[in-house]
Amino acid sequence: MTKKLLFVVTLMLVVAFALMAADITGKWVAEQPGRNGGPPRQTTFDLKADGATLTGTVTGGMGGGRGGRRGGGGGGGGAPQAREISDGKVDGNNISFTVKVEFNGNTMVSKYEGTLSGDELKLKVSRDTPNGPMTSEMTAKRSTT
């Protein structure tokens, strides 16, 4: 009887820890101020966790967007393009992934590292630029739409 009880309690603890793991799957939206007082830039993250693996896309912001020098991606003026993430990982409440954007024969790699807390995802974005490394931070909120 004691072994059965111990087994049941252990099983319940395992299930409880699994339920407490970060639920990153879903749509997340971050908004950052525009350059030189322009309209705010919105970045949308569509993420899916499968165990320790994270997949999904980034649309807008620096991870893929409207063309031009910083938006990275095709001919400017059009709707932002969704960019696939790579190397996505989930470790408890911590996530990381990479987004690669090709433009004008160059590849820009952005590395995202973040921490999930409830319906808020705090992200640090690092990238190499012609002027040296650049790091920025953003907070994405879980979208209900």
Side-chain angles (χ1 to χ4, degrees), residues 122-133:
K122 293 189 181 283
L123 293 164
K124 180 175 107 175
V125 187
S126 306
R127 67 188 62 82
D128 288 327
T129 71
N131 299 324

Side-chain angles (χ1 to χ4, degrees), residues 5-121:
L5 181 59
L6 182 59
F7 175 76
V8 169
V9 169
T10 302
L11 186 61
M12 288 173 50
L13 286 173
V14 168
V15 169
F17 281 121
L19 291 174
M20 287 181 5
D23 181 19
I24 192 71
T25 297
K27 182 177 178 182
W28 299 82
V29 178
E31 195 168 276
Q32 295 176 292
R35 278 192 270 167
N36 301 323
R41 293 181 301 160
Q42 194 173 63
T43 305
T44 302
F45 303 89
D46 284 303
L47 304 174
K48 182 175 189 300
D50 184 8
T53 302
L54 184 65
T55 58
T57 59
V58 177
T59 306
M62 295 294 288
R66 301 180 186 347
R69 214 170 53 138
R70 297 184 74 201
Q81 297 178 353
R83 305 288 182 184
E84 292 289 326
I85 70 172
S86 57
D87 305 317
K89 295 178 180 69
V90 178
D91 182 12
N93 286 343
N94 299 312
I95 66 160
S96 62
F97 59 90
T98 303
V99 175
K100 296 177 184 171
V101 179
E102 307 249 349
F103 62 99
N104 296 332
N106 297 311
T107 301
M108 182 173 69
V109 178
S110 299
K111 295 180 181 179
Y112 292 76
E113 295 178 330
T115 305
L116 177 63
S117 178
D119 286 337
E120 196 171 85
L121 179 60

